Amino acid sequence: MTYTPDARELADLELLLNGAFAPLTGFMGHDDAHSVVERGTLVDGTPWPAPITIDLPDDASGDLTLLDPEGAPLAVLTVGTGQVRALGGIEHGPFARLRRTPAEVRKELDGRPALVVTMRGPLDSVEEIKETARELGAVVVLMPLAYGEAGPGIVRAALSAAGKLDAMVVAVPLAEREDQEIDLELREHVAEAYGATEHLAGPAPITLPGPPHRRGLVVFFTGLSGSGKSTIARGLRDSLLELGGRTVTYLDGDVVRHLLSKGLTFSREDRDLNIRRIGFVAAEVARHGGLAICAPIAPYASTREEVREMVESVGADFLLVHVSTPLEECERRDRKGLYAKARAGEIPSFTGISDPYEEPDDADLAIDTTGVSIESAVTRVLDALRSGGWIR
């Protein structure tokens, strides 16, 4: 059996395997030798700042092979104990040469005192670091916590500061914890694993996302078949192209079905997979500052929320537009004859007839196209984009 950990779990796996989380050698469970209650001590009495866990499928058992996102095996996890055993090296992206193990860094330090500065953003000043290192007679080790999309930028900031400090730079993928006290304790633990005599935590990064018209945006239309969502979405695309100033990508539900999701059925699992694929592509567009327009039916609230999280996790914005045209009006239009076939039993699991549509309670804009022109509907969306600052 195999499992692909998420980004945070993969980062924790790397630190378990390279010794940065020592004495911990596996993920924590509830009944194994590494059990903790939030933070405090391991059952053997070792102090520990925070749970290091992995969210496995319910049917996971025995030895589970952990894969990277490309499907390469990384480690074997014994489900009963949480222990992990490396199978191969973890692939690294930018600045791979700076991803070193605690053993390698300690060997280079060769017993010399070390001032380790963990960084989640640029340093305010190097003067305090210089003075502290001078007092300790210590080697300065700048440790950018290179996790997630911000990782390369933090490493670049560390390399820039290193020239002023004659410092060593070691990139460590320690994912940030929501509780800042826990996050600081983990940073201190990892710094000590790398040989820190003294640890300084760099300041929290200042997030400057830029004005809305420069940020990525996903405009996500949802609604019943025949509600008018694709027509409004196409009208929005055309209007934005006429206005200029934004790179626009249009992902229509039917087009995606024939290309990106060809071969999928209309089961709930395949519908969810189709929406996740649309969400992934849209998030990639938005990640690079583009504006993506999506117009699937997207009948399930939980999957729409997954797409919102995908988009917001890359630092982009998400606008949910519910085209709320009632079923009776959609069925009256029945431009493709789909409702008639669904009523006749020729199309199983048809949204609104034999399969549910979960109306959103978190829509940023709702438009009922009954008796409303397409131009008016498109104008309402454009007005929302202007008021939000996404277009000028």
Side-chain angles (χ1 to χ4, degrees), residues 318-332:
F318 184 86
L319 188 78
L320 182 63
V321 181
H322 178 206
V323 184
S324 57
T325 310
L327 174 63
E328 296 75 15
E329 175 64 17
C330 297
E331 192 167 1
R332 185 192 65 78

Side-chain angles (χ1 to χ4, degrees), residues 47-89:
W48 189 259
I52 305 298
T53 58
I54 187 169
D55 186 14
L56 297 176
D58 292 337
D59 59 349
S61 62
D63 285 346
L64 188 67
T65 301
L66 302 180
L67 308 176
D68 71 11
E70 280 71 48
L74 298 176
V76 172
L77 166 67
T78 301
V79 174
T81 66
Q83 293 295 296
V84 289
R85 172 174 54 86
L87 290 177

Side-chain angles (χ1 to χ4, degrees), residues 177-198:
R177 268 54 182 187
E178 289 185 10
D179 186 314
Q180 291 304 301
E181 186 177 351
I182 289 176
D183 186 65
L184 178 59
E185 290 182 20
L186 271 180
R187 290 165 72 166
E188 290 179 344
H189 182 91
V190 170
E192 289 175 6
Y194 275 86
T197 309
E198 187 81 20

Side-chain angles (χ1 to χ4, degrees), residues 260-323:
L260 189 64
S261 296
K262 187 175 183 179
L264 293 184
T265 69
F266 286 89
S267 67
R268 171 148 192 167
E269 293 75 17
D270 280 2
R271 289 184 186 198
D272 282 346
L273 179 56
N274 177 52
I275 300 306
R276 290 189 189 103
R277 288 178 177 177
I278 291 172
F280 173 78
V281 174
E284 287 301 298
V285 170
R287 180 200 301 272
H288 300 289
L291 191 156
I293 301 170
C294 312
I297 291 174
Y300 307 123
S302 61
T303 320
R304 294 192 298 261
E305 181 58 30
E306 283 185 50
V307 175
R308 183 189 289 273
E309 290 174 359
M310 281 186 208
V311 173
E312 293 179 347
S313 72
V314 301
D317 295 328
F318 184 86
L319 188 78
L320 182 63
V321 181
H322 178 206
V323 184

